[in-house]
Amino acid sequence: MIRHSPPIEIASADHARHRLSRRGDRQLNAALHTIAITQIRMPGTRGHTYYQTKLAEGKTSREAQRCLKRRLADHVWRTMIGDERRRTQTTGPGGQPGATTASSAAGPTPAADSSDKSLPGPAEPKPTPTPQPA
């Protein structure tokens, strides 16, 4: 279960405003940390290569880890945004996937086919035969 923290009130003199907590989502942070450590420990991964590049640039191990976690977070964000865009592009006017204006209740009134048209006059009543006793 992912819990989101409520906005924090920031007051300065007579002006109060709200902002999100700087602590962030602890579960998401823990997941990104696990991914980063796993990639650092596995030579040949892109994360390991990126980490080694940051160390070669003179960053400390913790700074290089922080850079890798930020890169992973950016990748996750881009993936989530792309998924959301694809999800909203594939839904029709009713919000269901595959719906089109032709199949939507909001679409135009369908044309009546010859079998759907009403009869020209009232139907002639025909009496139902009564069953004969045996």
Side-chain angles (χ1 to χ4, degrees), residues 72-88:
L72 290 168
D74 289 345
H75 178 74
V76 168
W77 178 255
R78 283 189 307 270
T79 302
M80 287 171 48
I81 294 299
D83 288 349
E84 181 64 17
R85 282 189 185 132
R86 279 187 295 282
R87 187 186 70 78
T88 57

Side-chain angles (χ1 to χ4, degrees), residues 23-39:
R23 290 181 46 198
D25 188 333
R26 305 318 299 159
Q27 286 182 317
L28 180 59
N29 187 55
L32 291 171
H33 178 78
T34 302
I35 295 167
I37 296 302
T38 302
Q39 288 195 355

Side-chain angles (χ1 to χ4, degrees), residues 121-132:
E124 295 289 326
K126 292 185 181 178
T128 310
T130 53
Q132 298 297 327

Side-chain angles (χ1 to χ4, degrees), residues 48-114:
H48 180 81
T49 305
Y50 182 79
Y51 176 78
Q52 293 299 328
T53 303
K54 290 298 175 183
L55 290 177
E57 290 175 4
K59 296 205 180 284
T60 65
S61 176
R62 289 187 106 174
E63 290 171 332
Q65 275 184 19
R66 194 174 302 120
C67 290
L68 177 58
K69 283 171 66 174
R70 180 63 197 197
R71 186 175 176 159
L72 290 168
D74 289 345
H75 178 74
V76 168
W77 178 255
R78 283 189 307 270
T79 302
M80 287 171 48
I81 294 299
D83 288 349
E84 181 64 17
R85 282 189 185 132
R86 279 187 295 282
R87 187 186 70 78
T88 57
Q89 287 175 352
T90 59
T91 59
Q96 292 81 15
T100 64
T101 53
S103 65
S104 172
T109 306
D113 193 7
S114 62

